[in-house]
Amino acid sequence: MKNITVIGAGTMGNGIAHTFAQFGYKVNLVDLSQESLERGIATITKNLDRMLAKEKISEYDKTSTLNNITTYTQLEEGAKTADLVVEAASENENIKLDIFKTLDKVCPENCILSTNTSSIPITKIAAVTQRPDRVIGMHFMNPVPIMKLVEIIRGYNTSNETNDKVVAMAKNLKKVPTEVNDYPGFVANRILMPMINEAIETLYTGVAGVEEIDTVMKLGMAHPMGPLQLADFI
């Protein structure tokens, strides 16, 4: 799988496109508007410049990464040659279902359709296609170029072949693929969101202030940022 289509040029989409392109994959980045695509490329360029300044990449790496990305405003054009699609559009069920209906029609027969969703059932998304065995969750963490984890979520009908190919792909990106099943919230958000909710409840009931709550979790539980800071970041 060498030709990758990433749908959505926002925070997650441009990070996913950046990561694939940096590892030599040809990436078609698709969004509804040219302005969104330009912002996405600007973000990728800024992140590459930051990596260049830290001597993590060379000028050649930066140039080749950007050259590996082609932008499209038409989904049909951007996805027609894809070996793998990573959908990273808005976390809206109806939008995602419409996208996957279109992808199923325009993508090559053997193309794997993946979604970066953090909450919508993979099985439900797969059900609107004629290839549920080739639909899978590929949940990257933010910021994508830095964070190692990728949750690989199997729908009820995802084939072993599809799962194995996507796991191998994630390893090619120097990520750590972690296989989970299709249950609400998967693993990351199933555990994370109750913690954030409890932090908000702790603040609301006056147990402690924002800084104090975050400090307890950072210093006491070795979290890189407190739950309230993380909630703002999300």
Side-chain angles (χ1 to χ4, degrees):
M1 297 191 290
K2 290 295 182 184
N3 299 313
I4 312 300
T5 294
V6 177
I7 301 171
T11 300
M12 296 304 296
N14 70 61
I16 294 167
H18 170 168
T19 301
F20 274 103
Q22 188 175 335
F23 282 87
Y25 293 94
K26 296 298 182 183
V27 178
N28 290 348
L29 180 59
V30 181
D31 207 300
L32 290 173
S33 72
Q34 188 61 37
E35 292 78 11
S36 296
L37 290 167
E38 289 172 359
R39 285 196 299 270
I41 295 297
T43 299
I44 293 170
T45 303
K46 180 179 178 181
N47 289 335
L48 287 168
D49 284 338
R50 186 179 295 114
M51 296 172 76
L52 184 61
K54 293 180 179 180
E55 299 183 345
K56 293 184 176 181
I57 62 171
S58 66
E59 187 68 45
Y60 173 81
D61 294 328
K62 172 189 170 182
T63 301
S64 61
T65 297
L66 292 171
N67 287 341
N68 281 336
I69 303 174
T70 306
T71 59
Y72 292 86
T73 55
Q74 297 297 319
L75 178 58
E76 292 80 0
E77 285 299 308
K80 67 182 182 181
T81 60
D83 299 314
L84 170 71
V85 175
V86 184
E87 174 274 316
S90 300
E91 191 72 356
N92 178 296
E93 184 176 300
N94 290 332
I95 290 174
K96 289 186 186 293
L97 294 182
D98 286 342
I99 288 172
F100 273 79
K101 288 175 185 177
T102 301
L103 290 173
D104 192 42
K105 294 175 183 176
V106 303
C107 290
E109 182 180 352
N110 292 324
C111 176
I112 292 174
L113 308 180
S114 75
T115 174
N116 185 60
T117 184
S118 59
S119 61
I120 300 170
I122 307 305
T123 304
K124 188 167 190 176
I125 292 173
V128 302
T129 76
Q130 299 301 310
R131 60 179 89 191
D133 59 314
R134 293 191 294 280
V135 177
I136 196 167
M138 203 173 187
H139 181 210
F140 291 83
M141 304 293 127
N142 186 34
V144 180
I146 296 173
M147 298 291 280
K148 292 292 187 183
L149 175 66
V150 182
E151 277 189 308
I152 306 298
I153 307 110
R154 296 183 65 144
Y156 291 169
N157 296 301
T158 304
S159 70
N160 290 333
E161 180 183 7
T162 295
N163 184 77
D164 292 346
K165 284 183 177 181
V166 171
V167 166
M169 173 73 77
K171 290 179 179 178
N172 287 343
L173 301 176
K174 305 300 183 186
K175 302 297 186 185
V176 179
T178 303
E179 299 176 51
V180 305
N181 291 315
D182 194 10
Y183 285 83
F186 313 135
V187 171
N189 284 334
R190 189 183 183 98
I191 295 171
L192 176 63
M193 293 307 159
M195 183 189 72
I196 290 177
N197 286 343
E198 190 61 31
I200 293 169
E201 178 71 12
T202 301
L203 175 66
Y204 175 72
T205 54
V207 177
V210 172
E211 185 176 349
E212 290 75 17
I213 293 168
D214 280 353
T215 297
V216 167
M217 296 305 292
K218 286 190 290 185
L219 299 185
M221 311 302 169
H223 291 189
M225 66 176 71
L228 297 173
Q229 181 187 0
L230 178 58
D232 287 343
F233 183 69
I234 293 171

